[in-house]
Amino acid sequence: MKNQFSAGTGETEAGRLTLETAWRLLLFATTMTVLTAPNATAGGNEAVQTPSIFAPVSTPAYLTRELTWIVLIITGAIFLVVAGLTVYAIMRFRRRRGDDGREPPQVYGSLQIELAWTVVPILIVVVLFLVTTRYIFAIEGRPPVPETLEVTIVGHQWWWEIRYPKLGIVTANELHVPVSDPAHPTPTFITLQSADVIHSFWIPQLAGKMDVIPNKTNRIWIDPQKPGGYVGQCAEYCGLQHAGMLLIVAVQSKEDFAKWAAQQRAPARNDAEVQAGRELFSSLSCINCHAVRGTAANGLFGPDLTHLMSRRTIGAGVIQNTPENIRSWIDDPASLKPGALMPAMKLSRDDLDKVTAYLLALR
Ligand code: CUA
């Protein structure tokens, strides 16, 4: 039988997209786990967790889990009572051999029953409302402590721009933050903005979702208490590559974070052996969209490439950052990420090699 859920192609499409998102996130988490296994990489020693709200490592996520359990227990109890009474009624009053076929006495206008099924649900809703409000204020009302890291994250179709205004760092798709000791918290406050459409910032183990809205600034904070890699994903449908808008948060010890920040602050490397590639890159339209600090490239439309090779993935978590993938990406991004807004550069093989060599030197 046809019903409202299977009627239109739109529903099926949405279902497929949600499935694709879930699948991508799972693949990404698996890839990241392999990539960042203790002896697999030189740069990152963080193991990547499976994104689950039931494995929190940061205060807002702990509070979210607490609230989730409260709501699940209350609604679970309601479900058991309703389902239990339904099953009881079906068994107890089922049609039996020898029934006289008459309807049972019909009850109209029972004040007690009507009061009960009006007042009790209102009380339950009020309780859920008050509990939720309390948690929202507990999360949002937290005053910034003296030692906070300020980060601005800008959602783009389909990648995340990450800026550390006070540190002078610009990167993409890989947020590095110091671990926060509950005794001496060093939380990270994130300002969320969008360059185009509505996205949603969500790292399930660190905090709840927060929409990223054009012409509006939203704030969210995290205080991850365990070093590691935590994956997240844009959580608001934002176009063709919504499912390809992944994000990794690398939570590092204070020393490792300081090392990372110093390395990111350094100007782009200026290797003599990739001179030809650098000149070619500067002569192409690459520099209208990409920035390489200290060069003529100062575009803002695409990710900053100053330390491109320090990142684990390209295309916002869609593929691993390897020399072959960098070369294929420059040649034709759509072959790796259909719909990516970067055009195919249509370079000759020789030029492609030169530009690839230059980007590989941006460590
Ligand atoms: Cu950005 Cu979905």
Side-chain angles (χ1 to χ4, degrees):
M1 200 178 82
K2 233 173 144 189
N3 63 31
Q4 54 171 328
F5 297 110
S6 62
T9 47
E11 290 290 341
T12 332
E13 189 84 341
R16 230 192 348 249
L17 283 165
T18 318
L19 247 179
E20 197 191 333
T21 306
W23 177 237
R24 276 280 177 95
L25 199 53
L26 188 68
L27 258 183
F28 181 57
T30 318
T31 315
M32 286 295 114
T33 311
V34 174
L35 255 180
T36 56
N39 49 10
T41 49
N45 53 357
E46 312 91 2
V48 170
Q49 321 283 317
T50 312
S52 163
I53 65 157
F54 292 103
V57 295
S58 162
T59 305
Y62 283 121
L63 294 173
T64 305
R65 181 180 62 174
E66 236 174 79
L67 178 61
T68 303
W69 278 123
I70 294 172
V71 172
L72 276 179
I73 288 168
I74 294 178
T75 51
I78 296 171
F79 173 78
L80 286 182
V81 169
V82 172
L85 287 175
T86 306
V87 170
Y88 171 77
I90 290 171
M91 306 292 285
R92 174 80 178 70
F93 301 107
R94 70 184 185 279
R95 183 171 192 169
R96 290 193 167 86
R97 209 186 304 261
D99 277 351
D100 57 11
R102 278 188 305 149
E103 286 194 349
Q106 301 296 298
V107 181
Y108 294 103
S110 162
L111 190 64
Q112 280 115 315
I113 294 178
E114 285 180 7
L115 272 179
W117 72 43
T118 307
V119 174
V120 174
I122 286 175
L123 286 180
I124 294 171
V125 169
V126 167
V127 167
L128 287 175
F129 173 79
L130 290 179
V131 171
T132 307
T133 310
R134 196 164 161 258
Y135 275 89
I136 290 175
F137 278 90
I139 294 172
E140 307 237 311
R142 196 194 146 93
V145 295
E147 214 184 315
T148 57
L149 177 66
E150 282 288 342
V151 183
T152 299
I153 296 186
V154 185
H156 291 256
Q157 284 176 316
W158 289 279
W159 59 283
W160 303 96
E161 174 185 343
I162 301 171
R163 315 184 80 95
Y164 297 72
K166 287 179 190 150
L167 299 178
I169 295 170
V170 183
T171 180
N173 307 320
E174 199 175 300
L175 172 66
H176 287 246
V177 298
V179 69
S180 178
D181 174 3
H184 305 279
T186 49
T188 300
F189 280 75
I190 303 168
T191 299
L192 292 166
Q193 291 169 337
S194 169
D196 36 49
V197 299
I198 301 176
H199 305 271
S200 182
F201 180 83
W202 192 30
I203 313 291
Q205 290 181 275
L206 302 184
K209 277 177 204 163
M210 183 59 81
D211 275 3
V212 181
I213 301 168
N215 298 317
K216 179 168 168 43
T217 295
N218 276 341
R219 297 267 288 166
I220 195 170
W221 65 278
I222 54 174
D223 64 342
Q225 292 159 16
K226 227 171 68 187
Y230 303 97
V231 289
Q233 148 84 45
C234 178
E236 176 79 40
Y237 181 68
C238 57
L240 185 60
Q241 278 295 341
H242 160 66
M245 195 167 162
L246 304 141
L247 177 77
I248 181 166
V249 182
V251 177
Q252 300 175 299
S253 69
K254 299 215 165 63
E255 302 76 54
D256 285 352
F257 176 75
K259 244 184 265 168
W260 174 84
Q263 184 257 331
Q264 295 290 314
R265 252 198 316 265
R269 290 165 63 100
N270 210 354
D271 298 358
E273 59 267 33
V274 294
Q275 172 91 30
R278 182 163 54 244
E279 279 164 9
L280 182 58
F281 181 84
S282 303
S283 72
L284 294 168
S285 57
C286 312
I287 62 171
N288 297 330
C289 291
H290 293 286
V292 178
R293 218 168 339 118
T295 73
N298 60 2
L300 291 170
F301 194 69
D304 185 294
L305 302 178
T306 310
H307 296 289
L308 170 67
M309 295 315 289
S310 72
R311 306 201 281 261
R312 290 169 212 177
T313 69
I314 50 178
V318 168
I319 47 167
Q320 293 179 26
N321 189 355
T322 64
E324 306 78 66
N325 284 343
I326 291 271
R327 192 175 189 279
S328 312
W329 183 275
I330 303 166
D331 189 37
D332 183 11
S335 68
L336 300 166
K337 188 172 181 177
L341 296 185
M342 174 175 152
M345 292 308 292
K346 306 249 189 280
L347 301 177
S348 68
R349 289 187 151 265
D350 187 43
D351 285 355
L352 184 57
D353 287 338
K354 281 186 196 150
V355 174
T356 305
Y358 171 56
L359 293 191
L360 294 182
L362 296 175
R363 291 194 291 278

